Amino acid sequence: MSKKLFIETLGCAMNMRDSEHIIAELSKYENYSLTTDLKDADLILINTCSVREKPVQKLFSEIGVFNKKKKEGAKIGVCGCTASHLGEEIIKKAPSVDFVLGARNVSKIRDVLHKKGAVEVDIDYDESQFAFSEFRSSLYKAMVNISIGCDKQCTFCIVPSTRGKEVSIPANLIVQEAKKAAKSGAKEIFLLGQNVNNYSHEGKDFSDLLNMVSEIDEVERIRFTSPHPLHMDDKFLEVFASNEKVCKSMHMPLQSGSTEILKRMKRGYTKEWFLDRAFRLRDMIPDVHISTDIIVAFPGESDEDFNQTMDVLEKVRFEQLFSFKYSPRPLTKAAEFADVVDSKVASQRLSTLQKRHDEILDEITDAQMGREFEVYFEELRSSGGVAGRSDNGFLVQVQGSEELLGKTKRVKITYPRRTTLYGEVV
Ligand code: 5AD
Ligand code: SF4
């Protein structure tokens, strides 16, 4: 009988892919199969995120809960970015943890599994050759790593300290992986990296890579995350706009609309550059879907700086916003900045930003009424119905069953809501 693995994955797409990798290793070599029942598990893994403080605080209480509920003899492992960052401190603070495996060490899962107290958190370790794995949580789309790590030094971000230096994976390996996935039915390829459009390997850049992946016959759609606004040069935007297999949905993490704050964040671009790129995209692709990440109340952010962020929101009218209050992180430059913003002011700014975005989003949503989109169906919803993404990134749901999964259909929107556009196959 197989042993059971319970795995909780927090954070970004990179973490989701790392979890797939861990699952593949454990099922292939260690006879594990997945369970969603904690009490049934022989091994409990928490794949953590450390980008903000709250989830890190929650980790230890969660370990306590898992330890109480787990069956006799079950092991607990902590993986991911918080594992990289806290290392052996985790076991000191929570002795019920059997091992700690950093975000850049996923391929060592089998080594740590059998060593009580093992800690593998080397951020110089080159995981790029292990970035592929056979387990995929979806039959219809496949995440494919194109690079690991991050060389940017954004002053708020802990990621370079948890995932290490940026390494681009050879393009031929990426294409081979995408081909394999597409041939087995995943018509959508999701390219992953911390800074995808900084990809560079043997003279090939990210635009070249997009074109190469699009030449695979079985691939119908290509998405990617995350690009960096700094590297949105004309060549990239043109390939993005003109390559028909590349979905017209772009994540443009703004972080702040104030050039002064962007400088303190070391983002490498100005408000004007960001606006220029966003307008260029809207000009080239009238239907483009632009999402963003915004941090409010970064140290030193004045009312005027915040107004600059609101101004960008007003001008770009993002289709999707992920917004956060600045959270000081260890191992980052900004954690040393003394001019912290009062937490009440931070909350007010976050709420002002989100409120205005919701209004804009309501207008964008209403405008989708009656429109038609090509939707690639990939998910049965628990509420009934089948969901998928429109080419330009909207979540669309229709009535239907499994038969729609893995197919692309034209859908007319009949009931647009903020998070989901409901419609009918035409
Ligand atoms: N505080 C708040 N938000 C942060 N992010 C990254 N670091 C921090 C931090 N210290 C946000 C950024 C990034 C997203 C993944 O998380 O907006 O784009
Ligand atoms: Fe963090 Fe900046 Fe790298 Fe993104 S680009 S992961 S924000 S350091």
Side-chain angles (χ1 to χ4, degrees), residues 51-52 156-157 253 255 293-295 324-329:
V51 102
R52 281 169 295 277
F156 54 80
C157 188
Q255 313 301 2
D293 293 342
I294 291 177
I295 298 175
F324 316 99
K325 254 191 263 182
Y326 169 69
S327 163
R329 307 305 297 123

Side-chain angles (χ1 to χ4, degrees), residues 12 22 26 30-31 39 49-50 54 58 77 80 90 96 116 139 156 172 184 223 269 315 320 328 346 357 384 386:
C12 63
I22 290 171
L26 294 180
E30 303 283 343
N31 195 28
K39 293 194 277 309
C49 171
S50 58
K54 246 198 204 143
K58 268 174 47 190
I90 296 178
S96 59
K116 171 87 184 153
L139 290 172
F156 54 80
N172 61 325
S184 68
R223 295 184 187 280
Y269 54 87
K315 291 193 163 113
Q320 201 173 8
H357 170 70
V386 193

Side-chain angles (χ1 to χ4, degrees), residues 1 16 22 29 66 146 159 187 207 210 240 249 288 330 355:
M1 232 185 52
M16 284 163 64
I22 290 171
Y29 300 107
F66 284 3
I146 69 161
V159 169
K187 294 175 194 158
S207 308
L210 286 175
F240 175 79
S249 133
V288 71
K355 244 169 106 189

Side-chain angles (χ1 to χ4, degrees), residues 244-293:
E244 287 181 359
K245 290 191 179 176
V246 175
C247 290
K248 303 305 176 238
S249 133
M250 183 77 92
H251 189 57
M252 290 185 72
L254 170 67
Q255 313 301 2
S256 168
S258 152
T259 296
E260 204 43 52
I261 295 295
L262 287 170
K263 229 185 252 163
R264 300 192 91 201
M265 289 176 162
K266 276 221 171 125
R267 290 290 290 172
Y269 54 87
T270 58
K271 175 189 182 190
E272 288 68 33
W273 167 260
F274 186 95
L275 285 175
D276 177 77
R277 299 291 90 184
F279 292 158
R280 184 90 205 274
L281 271 176
R282 295 250 190 247
D283 273 354
M284 288 196 290
I285 316 161
D287 248 1
V288 71
H289 183 291
I290 305 182
S291 55
T292 197
D293 293 342

Side-chain angles (χ1 to χ4, degrees), residues 4-262:
K4 297 286 183 212
L5 164 67
F6 175 95
I7 184 162
E8 179 186 53
T9 307
L10 306 163
C12 63
M14 260 65 68
N15 256 19
M16 284 163 64
R17 184 64 184 140
D18 289 346
S19 284
E20 290 185 346
H21 192 121
I22 290 171
I23 295 165
E25 289 288 294
L26 294 180
S27 61
K28 191 165 174 189
Y29 300 107
E30 303 283 343
N31 195 28
Y32 275 92
S33 63
L34 282 174
T35 178
T36 50
D37 182 0
L38 188 84
K39 293 194 277 309
D40 200 26
D42 301 285
L43 173 61
I44 297 167
L45 294 179
I46 314 174
N47 196 1
T48 58
C49 171
S50 58
V51 102
R52 281 169 295 277
E53 196 184 2
K54 246 198 204 143
V56 179
Q57 286 170 344
K58 268 174 47 190
L59 172 66
F60 288 97
S61 56
E62 189 161 46
I63 293 170
V65 172
F66 284 3
N67 190 40
K68 255 194 213 139
K69 286 193 182 160
K70 72 175 187 156
K71 77 175 178 196
E72 180 82 32
K75 291 180 185 168
I76 300 181
V78 175
C79 318
C81 283
T82 305
S84 309
H85 156 216
L86 294 178
E88 60 187 345
E89 245 181 81
I90 296 178
I91 298 187
K92 278 197 195 131
K93 215 165 151 184
S96 59
V97 170
D98 290 274
F99 61 84
V100 173
L101 183 70
R104 201 171 169 124
N105 306 85
V106 284
S107 66
K108 296 181 187 161
I109 178 68
R110 293 174 61 212
D111 301 342
V112 292
L113 179 64
H114 300 295
K115 265 190 241 154
K116 171 87 184 153
V119 176
E120 286 284 355
V121 291
D122 178 6
I123 60 163
D124 295 323
Y125 187 61
D126 183 1
E127 281 263 314
S128 59
Q129 56 186 305
F130 303 108
F132 306 122
S133 84
E134 284 154 29
F135 179 81
R136 303 203 171 277
S137 40
S138 166
L139 290 172
Y140 310 105
K141 66 176 173 197
M143 294 184 270
V144 175
N145 288 97
I146 69 161
S147 59
I148 60 168
C150 178
D151 281 348
K152 296 272 183 287
Q153 292 297 330
C154 302
T155 55
F156 54 80
C157 188
I158 195 173
V159 169
S161 305
T162 63
R163 288 190 177 266
K165 284 235 153 299
E166 191 168 316
V167 179
S168 293
I169 296 169
N172 61 325
L173 295 183
I174 297 167
V175 170
Q176 195 180 311
E177 186 62 14
K179 209 178 258 173
K180 207 164 77 188
K183 281 204 160 90
S184 68
K187 294 175 194 158
E188 183 173 304
I189 300 295
F190 204 146
L191 302 175
L192 294 185
Q194 226 65 48
N195 262 314
V196 283
N197 52 341
N198 195 35
Y199 178 87
S200 168
H201 194 271
E202 289 182 350
K204 297 208 167 51
D205 63 15
F206 186 57
S207 308
D208 301 327
L209 190 65
L210 286 175
N211 284 334
M212 286 167 77
V213 174
S214 74
E215 277 159 22
I216 302 169
D217 284 344
E218 293 84 355
V219 171
E220 288 182 11
R221 290 183 165 203
I222 304 170
R223 295 184 187 280
F224 52 83
T225 204
S226 277
H228 194 299
L230 175 66
H231 303 298
M232 293 191 176
D233 54 24
D234 288 345
K235 178 182 172 191
F236 170 54
L237 296 194
E238 271 148 31
V239 169
F240 175 79
S242 63
N243 189 314
E244 287 181 359
K245 290 191 179 176
V246 175
C247 290
K248 303 305 176 238
S249 133
M250 183 77 92
H251 189 57
M252 290 185 72
L254 170 67
Q255 313 301 2
S256 168
S258 152
T259 296
E260 204 43 52
I261 295 295
L262 287 170

